[in-house]
Amino acid sequence: MEAKSLDYQKRKRPPVFGVDIAIAGLTKYVGGKVLYEDFNLEIASGKITCIFGPNGCGKSTLLNMIAGLTPLDKGQLRFGGKPRSQVKIGYVFQNYRDALFPWLKAIKNIEYPLLSAGLSRVQRRLRVEELILQFNVGFDLERYPYELSGGQQQLVSIMRALATRPNILFLDEPFSALDYEATLAIRDKLQEVFVATGVTIVMISHDLEEAVYLADHILLLTKRPTRLAEQVVFNRSRPRTLETLSDPEFVRVKAHSLDVFRREAS
Amino acid sequence: MPDASKRSQLSPFADNFFPFLIANTGTLLLILIWWIVTALGLIEQVLLPSPIDTFVALWEGIFGGDLIRDFWLTLYRSLYAFAIAAVLGIPIGILLGANEQLYRSFEFLIDFFRSTPATAMFPLFLVVFGIGDFSKVAVAAFAGGLVIFFNVAYGVMNARKTRIMAARVMGTPRWRVFFDVIFFETLPQTFIGLRTAISLTLVVIIVAEMFIGSTNGMGQRIIDAQQVFDMPDMYASIIATGVMGYGLNQLFLLTENKFIHWKGR
């Protein structure tokens, strides 16, 4: 048995393999009415994809169906060619208060996914320490979630979602319940983690500027029955800074996306 | 009010006296009004004895009479009934709460029994369990059990879906989701059920002691005192029973706050 060295920084950590997602023929009825019908989509691996669309077009439902939380009526989902059972997914919910476990301390929340992963206590502890370093956590994780601020709670949620080194990370409007300062801080952290691990990120956002700023691909959806109106590509290199916001390409992509959105939402 | 310079000269008793007065203004005011009303003879002695007489009766009951024995018997019966109620109510509540379809198929029956006053069931329980002590406990357990069952089932059915989804997407196996998430999620509602049940079992036991041929217990004590018009003893017994109810509720609240530190956050 190899010696459990605490030099985890020096040890070569295998990169996270982000996988692509292939959605074929997805059909979903909600309340008797069609939401998705024969919907096809390809989400690129190792990229950040932001989903943007009008209210009620089923963005959260789409994410939940891919994650396996909501059943689909018809269709096939493939993750890097494999079925759902063979891929690891992390999910960050919009409402962190309802997603974290208040009876566990923050650090235990982060550790929780690892309990079902068959790791020993030492291995779990090491992984949590690794996350704490990676996220540069400055607050006390021995506190309960309700003792932390909104931004801190959402950070804990993200850390928990990444604990098992998932292939895909879903975020459902992760910043909508946070103040601006927390949003900026976590956005940057998210970018850092993305660059370091290569995980596939799929994010729902209600803020178009934020969506374009973070994304490699912006998926613009239509109203029900939902279809893909357009897939816009924004491939500025990372790390992106606040200067990117005044970049002419950024402005063009954002304006174009807004046009498409307006057209579809009316 | 004594100012700071004088405070060091006052005894610790006096230091605590004023805050004590302020915190208990309501109670003290009530006792004062009670005393004034009886002193002025505004209400007949037969209906309302003076606080002094009541206190004397209480004292005599504790040290010279059977009050402690009656108090203990009522408490014992209530707790016994509560224990049965919890042991039966919690598992069945979890079972039906976890299975929404099963719950729906029993829903009418459940609502019907919930709405029927448990005290209306007394004669039925007498027939089944006889005139002894246990029939009282049984009715109280039935009433308490229904309340616990209902609260537990409700808690399970209304557990925050987001948390369960979060656990499932992490790849947690179903049994783990139940013990790690659903169990804790439903604890606050379960405790509400437990607290309601203990109050309810006390009520039912008191009524049973009053009217179902009991030779002891606080209920029997109260009704006996009323029948011989021993008002001070009656009032004293009622107050003692109130103290029991209050004490039980406080005990449960303390346990709840210790166990469920995240409640209401």
Side-chain angles (χ1 to χ4, degrees):
Chain A
M1 195 141 111
E2 58 172 357
K4 300 262 189 273
S5 147
L6 282 168
D7 267 327
Y8 47 83
Q9 284 157 294
K10 290 197 198 145
R11 275 203 284 171
K12 273 221 127 156
R13 276 268 147 236
V16 174
F17 286 114
V19 296
D20 61 66
I21 309 172
I23 304 162
L26 178 69
T27 305
K28 175 76 177 170
Y29 295 93
V30 175
K33 290 203 273 215
V34 64
L35 180 62
Y36 288 96
E37 188 151 49
D38 201 25
F39 182 78
N40 302 299
L41 190 63
E42 298 262 333
I43 293 179
S45 89
K47 299 269 183 225
I48 299 185
T49 303
C50 277
I51 300 178
F52 196 77
N55 268 345
C57 73
K59 307 184 285 279
S60 292
T61 312
L62 181 63
L63 228 58
N64 287 349
M65 284 193 284
I66 305 173
L69 293 170
T70 307
L72 350 74
D73 292 321
K74 252 187 275 183
Q76 261 231 343
L77 298 166
R78 277 276 173 273
F79 303 87
K82 302 207 192 101
R84 166 72 177 97
S85 50
Q86 290 180 31
V87 75
K88 285 185 285 186
I89 294 183
Y91 200 129
V92 177
F93 295 86
Q94 174 182 8
N95 190 345
Y96 42 80
R97 209 171 281 119
D98 282 349
L100 292 173
F101 304 141
W103 50 84
L104 292 178
K105 295 191 179 158
I107 197 165
K108 286 292 176 195
N109 263 280
I110 299 171
E111 193 186 341
Y112 186 76
L114 301 169
L115 293 174
S116 315
L119 296 177
S120 73
R121 185 185 293 188
V122 177
Q123 286 171 316
R124 294 200 302 263
R125 188 73 204 182
L126 280 177
R127 175 63 187 145
V128 174
E129 295 288 340
E130 202 173 6
L131 282 163
I132 295 174
L133 239 101
Q134 188 174 34
F135 279 84
N136 202 9
V137 174
F139 53 90
D140 186 7
L141 288 171
E142 291 290 334
R143 312 234 294 267
Y144 291 101
Y146 53 80
E147 296 177 294
L148 303 172
S149 75
Q152 293 169 334
Q153 287 186 55
Q154 194 64 302
L155 200 67
V156 170
S157 302
I158 296 174
M159 289 167 75
R160 183 178 70 168
L162 290 171
T164 54
R165 277 184 239 281
N167 307 105
I168 308 169
L169 180 65
F170 286 147
L171 301 116
D172 187 350
E173 301 208 30
F175 310 121
S176 62
L178 300 177
D179 62 80
Y180 195 55
E181 196 185 327
T183 303
L184 289 180
I186 297 181
R187 248 170 44 180
D188 285 338
K189 257 294 158 264
L190 200 59
Q191 269 206 94
E192 270 178 45
V193 168
F194 169 69
V195 169
T197 61
V199 63
T200 304
I201 294 184
V202 183
M203 192 171 98
I204 297 176
S205 175
H206 68 268
D207 183 332
L208 187 56
E209 176 165 295
E210 177 176 277
V212 178
Y213 175 75
L214 281 174
D216 295 300
H217 297 181
I218 303 127
L219 299 180
L220 298 159
L221 300 179
T222 66
K223 285 203 285 215
R224 292 166 76 142
T226 313
R227 304 212 149 280
L228 182 65
E230 192 172 324
Q231 176 165 303
V232 182
V233 177
F234 180 58
N235 44 26
R236 269 279 164 275
S237 64
R238 294 184 198 276
R240 295 179 188 170
T241 62
L242 291 174
E243 284 169 358
T244 317
L245 293 174
S246 25
D247 183 282
E249 177 68 8
F250 175 86
V251 174
R252 188 197 70 80
V253 169
K254 185 180 156 198
H256 178 69
S257 304
L258 189 56
D259 277 339
V260 177
F261 172 73
R262 276 223 188 92
R263 192 184 70 214
E264 294 304 328
S266 57
Chain B
M1 285 287 268
D3 64 16
S5 61
K6 283 195 190 147
R7 202 170 265 168
S8 53
Q9 296 170 20
L10 296 170
S11 67
F13 171 76
D15 266 348
N16 290 320
F17 185 59
F18 285 110
F20 175 81
L21 263 188
I22 292 167
N24 290 287
T25 307
T27 318
L28 295 170
L29 201 64
L30 186 69
I31 297 178
L32 190 68
I33 292 173
W34 180 7
W35 182 72
I36 291 174
V37 164
T38 52
L40 292 176
L42 292 172
I43 299 181
E44 287 181 42
Q45 267 285 340
V46 159
L47 293 175
L48 183 70
S50 76
I52 315 268
D53 288 342
T54 309
F55 182 72
V56 165
L58 188 64
W59 190 269
E60 280 177 356
I62 295 175
F63 295 105
D66 291 328
L67 194 114
I68 296 289
R69 181 202 65 166
D70 288 329
F71 190 91
W72 163 245
L73 281 166
T74 301
L75 186 63
Y76 166 75
R77 287 179 188 131
S78 302
L79 290 175
Y80 187 9
F82 175 78
I84 299 174
V87 163
L88 289 177
I90 294 178
I92 300 179
I94 293 175
L95 192 68
L96 258 69
N99 234 315
E100 183 130 3
Q101 282 171 321
L102 200 63
Y103 183 86
R104 297 277 168 238
S105 58
F106 281 95
E107 193 168 14
F108 172 72
L109 220 62
I110 293 165
D111 280 341
F112 182 80
F113 279 116
R114 251 186 79 221
S115 318
T116 311
T119 40
M121 304 273 213
F122 267 136
L124 173 64
F125 277 75
L126 279 178
V127 168
V128 174
F129 291 101
I131 318 177
D133 220 29
F134 191 71
S135 53
K136 300 187 193 74
V137 173
V139 187
F142 178 73
L146 272 171
V147 162
I148 293 178
F149 155 78
F150 188 76
N151 274 282
V152 170
Y154 185 77
V156 174
M157 285 194 296
N158 289 306
R160 278 263 179 275
K161 293 279 184 293
T162 315
R163 273 198 198 109
I164 299 171
M165 284 204 289
R168 276 180 53 206
V169 86
M170 289 178 212
T172 316
R174 269 223 138 85
W175 66 269
R176 260 218 115 103
V177 174
F178 182 80
F179 283 108
D180 289 345
V181 184
I182 298 182
F183 173 75
F184 288 98
E185 265 296 280
T186 60
L187 223 46
Q189 193 66 42
T190 302
F191 262 87
I192 291 174
L194 293 178
R195 251 195 299 135
T196 313
I198 190 69
S199 301
L200 193 57
T201 51
L202 182 60
V203 167
V204 176
I205 293 287
I206 292 285
V207 174
E209 286 171 349
M210 281 181 177
F211 300 112
I212 319 289
S214 194
T215 53
N216 46 45
M218 294 307 289
Q220 176 266 337
R221 194 184 175 83
I222 293 168
I223 201 92
D224 270 5
Q226 179 259 324
Q227 290 189 327
V228 300
F229 277 92
D230 185 352
M231 300 317 269
D233 192 16
M234 189 186 86
Y235 272 81
S237 304
I238 292 173
I239 291 174
T241 313
V243 167
M244 188 191 311
Y246 180 75
L248 282 170
N249 206 18
Q250 288 300 103
L251 189 72
F252 269 78
L253 268 172
L254 256 126
T255 318
E256 190 171 337
N257 286 331
K258 236 189 144 236
F259 261 97
I260 314 179
H261 56 83
W262 67 90
K263 190 173 69 128
R265 311 272 198 144

